[in-house]
């Protein structure tokens, strides 16, 4: 099965459930960029509950742009802020030290485009999970694509996805289980068992 998805920043679990259960991925790169989506944000579990990490971009509604043309606003040190947030949230998790060095290139490299960052995120997470999923990028926008499972709506921030099966999270005792966070939450808490967990879930 070939699945059509938007590349997102440290994809949430619903995206990765779709990814590991697909034979191949087609990444939508020819659509118009939209704000308030997971294209440039991910959600983690901080000490006070759900915490959004947002990559700043240069974009306005007046100037419609294709997703692949949207540039990151690198005026502030957002990468350092995100890294500090991850360290604060997950330094006590079982597998943080095991994976963080592998992820450091994403925080040390200067990215011009949000799409390039997201594609590198996908590649690095796959390496951490030790999975190989062939992928391609779309060459034209199709409103109703043929021969693909269209899951592009998973990119919407207001898309409600409830992951039923729980796993142990760092702050579970304080705030309970929080569903459908970034793949990083699962990876830092479950480590090599993450792939098995993802394959058992249903969207």
């Amino acid at each position: 099965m070939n699945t059509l998805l938007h590349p997102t920043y440290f994809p949430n679990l619903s995206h990765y459930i779709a990814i590991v259960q697909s034979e191949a991925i087609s990444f939508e790169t020819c659509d118009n960029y939209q704000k308030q989506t997971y294209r440039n944000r991910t959600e983690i579990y901080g000490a006070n509950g759900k915490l959004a990490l947002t990559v700043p971009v240069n974009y306005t509604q007046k100037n419609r742009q294709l997703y692949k043309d949207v540039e990151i606003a690198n005026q502030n040190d957002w990468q350092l802020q995100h890294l500090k947030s991850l360290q604060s949230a997950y330094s006590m998790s079982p597998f943080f030290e095991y994976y963080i060095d592998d992820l450091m290139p994403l925080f040390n490299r200067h990215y011009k485009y949000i799409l390039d960052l997201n594609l590198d995120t996908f590649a690095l997470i796959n390496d951490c999970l030790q999975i190989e999923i062939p992928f391609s990028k779309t060459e034209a926008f199709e409103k109703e694509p043929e021969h693909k499972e269209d899951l592009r709506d998973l990119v919407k921030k207001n898309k409600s996805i409830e992951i039923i099966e729980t796993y142990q999270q760092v702050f579970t005792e304080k705030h309970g289980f929080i569903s459908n966070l970034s793949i990083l939450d699962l990876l830092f808490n479950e480590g090599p068992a993450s792939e098995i967990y993802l394959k058992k879930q249903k969207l």
Side-chain angles (χ1 to χ4, degrees):
M1 178 181 64
N2 192 322
T3 302
L4 182 61
L5 289 167
H6 288 286
T8 60
Y9 179 57
F10 287 121
N12 57 28
L13 291 194
S14 61
H15 276 81
Y16 253 94
I17 290 168
I19 287 168
V20 301
Q21 297 180 14
S22 300
E23 295 175 0
I25 298 296
S26 291
F27 279 131
E28 179 62 79
T29 63
C30 298
D31 61 319
N32 285 324
Y33 186 83
Q34 296 178 16
K35 298 174 73 174
Q36 301 297 317
T37 69
Y38 289 113
R39 288 173 178 85
N40 69 320
R41 66 181 280 145
T42 195
E43 293 171 338
I44 64 172
Y45 200 153
N48 296 316
K50 188 184 292 187
L51 175 66
L53 304 181
T54 304
V55 180
V57 295
N58 294 318
Y59 174 81
T60 63
Q61 286 294 142
K62 295 178 182 177
N63 246 342
R64 299 211 40 110
Q65 290 176 283
L66 294 181
Y67 183 8
K68 61 184 179 181
D69 296 329
V70 172
E71 297 184 10
I72 296 174
N74 282 307
Q75 293 87 345
N76 61 21
D77 208 348
W78 64 268
Q79 287 165 296
L80 179 60
Q81 294 170 15
H82 287 197
L83 181 59
K84 286 182 176 179
S85 294
L86 289 172
Q87 290 169 333
S88 176
Y90 296 110
S91 61
M92 300 301 292
S93 64
F95 295 96
F96 180 80
E97 294 295 335
Y98 186 80
Y99 291 112
I100 191 60
D101 287 345
D102 295 331
L103 299 173
M104 285 306 295
L106 290 171
F107 300 102
N108 292 327
R109 177 181 169 186
H110 178 87
Y111 286 90
K112 183 176 181 181
Y113 296 102
I114 184 68
L115 178 60
D116 292 338
L117 169 64
N118 290 349
L119 291 175
D120 278 3
T121 297
F122 169 75
L124 271 177
I125 292 296
N126 285 358
D127 285 345
C128 291
L129 292 171
Q130 296 186 319
I131 60 175
E132 293 186 14
I133 306 289
F135 76 95
S136 60
K137 294 183 283 187
T138 58
E139 297 181 357
F141 180 76
E142 297 179 76
K143 188 173 182 179
E144 297 181 4
E146 296 181 0
H147 311 302
K148 295 174 185 173
E149 183 174 10
D150 187 357
L151 294 180
R152 288 176 293 185
D153 63 341
L154 290 179
V155 79
K156 297 176 181 176
K157 190 164 67 72
N158 58 2
K159 176 78 173 176
S160 179
I161 298 287
E162 192 69 25
I163 310 297
I164 302 300
E165 185 177 347
T166 64
Y167 56 89
Q168 185 63 38
Q169 296 170 315
V170 176
F171 300 107
T172 297
E173 293 184 6
K174 290 182 68 175
H175 305 290
F177 179 73
I178 300 181
S179 177
N180 201 30
L181 295 175
S182 168
I183 183 65
L184 292 176
D185 186 78
L186 180 68
L187 193 67
F188 290 147
N189 284 298
E190 291 293 317
S194 297
E195 182 187 2
I196 297 171
Y197 173 90
L198 292 167
K199 286 184 173 179
K200 289 166 57 180
Q201 308 312 309
K202 292 183 180 180
L203 292 178

